[in-house]
Amino acid sequence: LPDSVEVEGNVFSVKYTDGTDAPYSIVSTKNGMAVRHSVNSDKMTREIVVQVFDAEGNPLTKALTISVRAYAQELLAITQNPVEKALIIRMLDYGALAQLYVDPDATDLANSIVTDDLRKFINDYEMADPEAFQSNLTSTEGVFSANLTLNESIDMNIYTNIGHIGEGEELVVMMDGQVLAESRYQKTMAANGDICIRYSFNADTMNKELTVAIVDSDGNVRVRLPLSIRTYAHVCINTYADNATLRAMLIAMLDYGALAQLYANTNTDDLANCYVTADLRSELNDYFRPEN
């Protein structure tokens, strides 16, 4: 928001281009106050229109129409940072594959703005040498299950049932071995006793390990499920050999996560895509079609 625009007393119009209201919040950033709209991974092409009016309906700003793709296109035209360039391209690839995963007939894909030169750049970009995939997953005897929600963040959902928690036991949630305060995650319980623990991962934390455990009164762990976005993605890649779009989307997501780590300088010796081989990455090529 321009410095001249006050938050209090003014009217914020945040709409999709079809005129329906788009969800938003007003946040404080290092660059000042901003309108924040969260975009799911398969909605990077969806435009919003933002304008601010005073209490009498007089416009205080011009209308701004923007999408994630449009912003990325502006940034790709000016960035001189190769990591940032690769990050943006792979983010758009991830968005396009999310579109195709939701709708195999989708057109106007998020990565439609990636030119031949940009495609050559990302194809030639040197990713780190892959490691052999290792998982510390063990049987939880049916106590836990998990899935991902791929929205503006990547949400890990871990499920159990209250019937699995014995007398004197409790459910404990940890990140990389450190117990999390309840304010750091969402916990919901259904009428049938099913419990869902949801934790939102930023793009540069796909390597971090979320653990949900059942612990007795002495602090002893009876059963636990440790799981990172990276591990979950590779379990799916190894399990769903016949779902090419799902596999490609997860591979692009892991590259996006690793590049986000490099860009943010976040734990760069343990990248999200450290298990992605050249053969796996080659599966992306079938989805970057000129007609899109």
Side-chain angles (χ1 to χ4, degrees), residues 10-48:
N10 292 320
V11 178
F12 292 82
S13 174
V14 184
K15 296 182 180 295
Y16 297 114
T17 51
D18 64 3
T20 59
D21 290 334
Y24 72 95
S25 58
I26 305 296
V27 297
S28 177
T29 76
K30 64 180 181 180
N31 296 320
M33 302 303 294
V35 173
R36 172 175 288 175
H37 168 68
S38 297
V39 179
N40 286 6
S41 56
D42 64 332
K43 297 291 191 297
M44 295 185 190
T45 63
R46 192 174 191 183
E47 293 181 328
I48 61 168

Side-chain angles (χ1 to χ4, degrees), residues 59-192:
L60 299 178
T61 68
K62 294 181 179 179
L64 171 67
T65 301
I66 196 166
S67 66
V68 172
R69 179 177 62 184
Y71 178 79
Q73 187 170 24
E74 292 179 3
L75 203 53
L76 283 170
I78 61 174
T79 183
Q80 300 297 311
N81 183 331
V83 176
E84 184 177 44
K85 183 185 292 187
L87 164 67
I88 296 167
I89 295 169
R90 201 53 104 208
M91 179 190 74
L92 294 171
D93 287 343
Y94 165 48
L97 287 158
Q99 288 176 263
L100 291 169
Y101 181 67
V102 172
D103 176 10
D105 297 321
T107 56
D108 189 30
L109 300 181
N111 63 357
S112 63
I113 64 169
V114 176
T115 63
D116 290 342
D117 286 345
L118 290 173
R119 181 59 59 202
K120 184 178 186 307
F121 169 83
I122 193 64
N123 287 344
D124 292 343
Y125 190 87
E126 289 192 16
M127 301 289 184
D129 292 335
E131 305 170 19
F133 173 57
Q134 298 178 2
S135 170
N136 63 350
L137 293 179
T138 58
S139 172
T140 64
E141 301 177 0
V143 172
F144 294 113
S145 61
N147 64 24
L148 300 183
T149 302
L150 303 178
N151 50 22
E152 70 275 5
S153 55
I154 302 174
D155 293 344
M156 176 75 74
N157 307 294
I158 295 181
Y159 303 89
T160 188
N161 187 279
I162 195 169
H164 293 303
I165 304 174
E167 185 177 352
E169 294 182 327
E170 63 175 337
L171 207 59
V172 175
V173 182
M174 293 171 278
M175 175 56 65
D176 284 347
Q178 300 298 312
V179 176
L180 292 177
E182 290 191 4
S183 60
R184 296 282 306 282
Y185 59 88
Q186 295 177 331
K187 179 181 177 181
T188 57
M189 183 182 295
N192 63 357

Side-chain angles (χ1 to χ4, degrees), residues 146-265:
N147 64 24
L148 300 183
T149 302
L150 303 178
N151 50 22
E152 70 275 5
S153 55
I154 302 174
D155 293 344
M156 176 75 74
N157 307 294
I158 295 181
Y159 303 89
T160 188
N161 187 279
I162 195 169
H164 293 303
I165 304 174
E167 185 177 352
E169 294 182 327
E170 63 175 337
L171 207 59
V172 175
V173 182
M174 293 171 278
M175 175 56 65
D176 284 347
Q178 300 298 312
V179 176
L180 292 177
E182 290 191 4
S183 60
R184 296 282 306 282
Y185 59 88
Q186 295 177 331
K187 179 181 177 181
T188 57
M189 183 182 295
N192 63 357
D194 285 345
I195 299 171
C196 175
I197 301 296
R198 170 174 285 194
Y199 183 87
S200 297
F201 288 80
N202 290 343
D204 65 336
T205 60
M206 296 184 199
N207 63 319
K208 294 179 73 67
E209 190 171 78
L210 180 73
T211 298
V212 178
I214 296 176
V215 179
D216 66 21
S217 57
D218 295 324
N220 300 310
V221 175
R222 178 168 64 82
V223 63
R224 69 190 183 101
L225 176 62
L227 198 57
S228 65
I229 300 293
R230 176 176 62 194
T231 296
Y232 186 89
H234 278 282
V235 168
C236 289
I237 289 168
N238 293 336
T239 302
Y240 298 105
D242 59 344
N243 194 328
T245 306
L246 172 63
R247 289 166 58 91
M249 178 183 70
L250 294 174
I251 293 164
M253 181 189 75
L254 292 171
D255 272 356
Y256 166 46
L259 290 160
Q261 286 177 258
L262 292 169
Y263 183 68
N265 197 27

